[in-house]
Amino acid sequence: TKLYTLEHLAQGETFELVGGNLVLLLGQQARVFHQTSGVSDLVFTAFQQRLAHPPSKVDNFILEELARLMVVAKGKYQPRVLEVYQSVLESAISATYGPSSSAISYTHCSQSVYTGLEAVASELKTASEREELLQRVLDLFIQQAVDGKKQSEKA
């Protein structure tokens, strides 16, 4: 029998399959080499630049890989990943509740933020780590609620 090959996919599906696999591969490399100078930073920067440019299902893989990187190298990447998550959620809220604009919409991948946070929380071992993440997530959700209220008042 023949293995599943790219010829059987439509062009958009091929992009998502190849792009998703590439993101998974880069994420794995970033985690393996997180202590090697610059490797994880390059991957993190590439993920940031690729996120929603153009919007696609690959963005979900990126957000999940960022969560996995945050688990492995939490001290270095936790604030940066949470910043990315916050911008995704703020943009998704703005696109959902606010007037339409030319800004990038992350509504197609906002659920992956919650999935990523769940994955990170399940990996934390100590109470202090859980409390720190809980504080940061609470700040994120409070900011999200405030932004949502502002957007609904403008509309």
Side-chain angles (χ1 to χ4, degrees):
T1 82
K2 222 176 175 188
L3 290 175
Y4 194 74
T5 61
L6 293 177
E7 292 85 34
H8 299 285
L9 298 173
Q11 187 173 1
E13 293 171 336
T14 302
F15 170 77
E16 290 170 2
L17 178 67
V18 172
N21 284 325
L22 182 60
V23 167
L24 294 174
L25 176 67
L26 286 173
Q28 176 68 27
Q29 296 304 309
R31 289 190 307 277
V32 168
F33 296 110
H34 76 276
Q35 294 178 333
T36 304
S37 177
V39 173
S40 295
D41 288 333
L42 286 172
V43 172
F44 184 85
T45 302
F47 284 171
Q48 276 187 306
Q49 291 172 352
R50 171 55 192 86
L51 189 63
H53 290 97
S56 73
K57 292 180 182 177
V58 173
D59 297 332
N60 294 311
F61 290 111
I62 291 172
L63 292 171
E64 291 170 13
E65 284 302 313
L66 288 176
R68 291 182 184 109
L69 181 60
M70 187 165 59
V71 167
V72 172
K74 48 189 160 268
K76 183 174 183 179
Y77 289 100
Q78 190 176 50
R80 294 169 68 188
V81 172
L82 289 176
E83 211 173 275
V84 170
Y85 281 3
Q86 182 172 358
S87 69
V88 167
L89 292 177
E90 286 174 359
S91 175
I93 286 174
S94 179
T96 302
Y97 298 110
S100 61
S101 67
S102 62
I104 297 170
S105 171
Y106 292 100
T107 54
H108 67 286
C109 62
S110 59
Q111 183 60 42
S112 291
V113 170
Y114 302 118
T115 305
L117 289 172
E118 180 183 2
V120 170
S122 69
E123 293 293 325
L124 298 177
K125 305 290 185 231
T126 67
S128 64
E129 288 177 328
R130 288 189 295 269
E131 287 174 13
E132 180 183 346
L133 180 65
L134 180 61
Q135 179 63 44
R136 289 178 185 254
V137 170
L138 283 173
D139 291 343
L140 179 71
F141 285 120
I142 289 170
Q143 185 62 44
Q144 184 180 5
V146 169
D147 291 342
K149 185 174 185 331
K150 286 179 186 175
Q151 290 296 327
S152 66
E153 287 173 352
K154 286 181 184 178

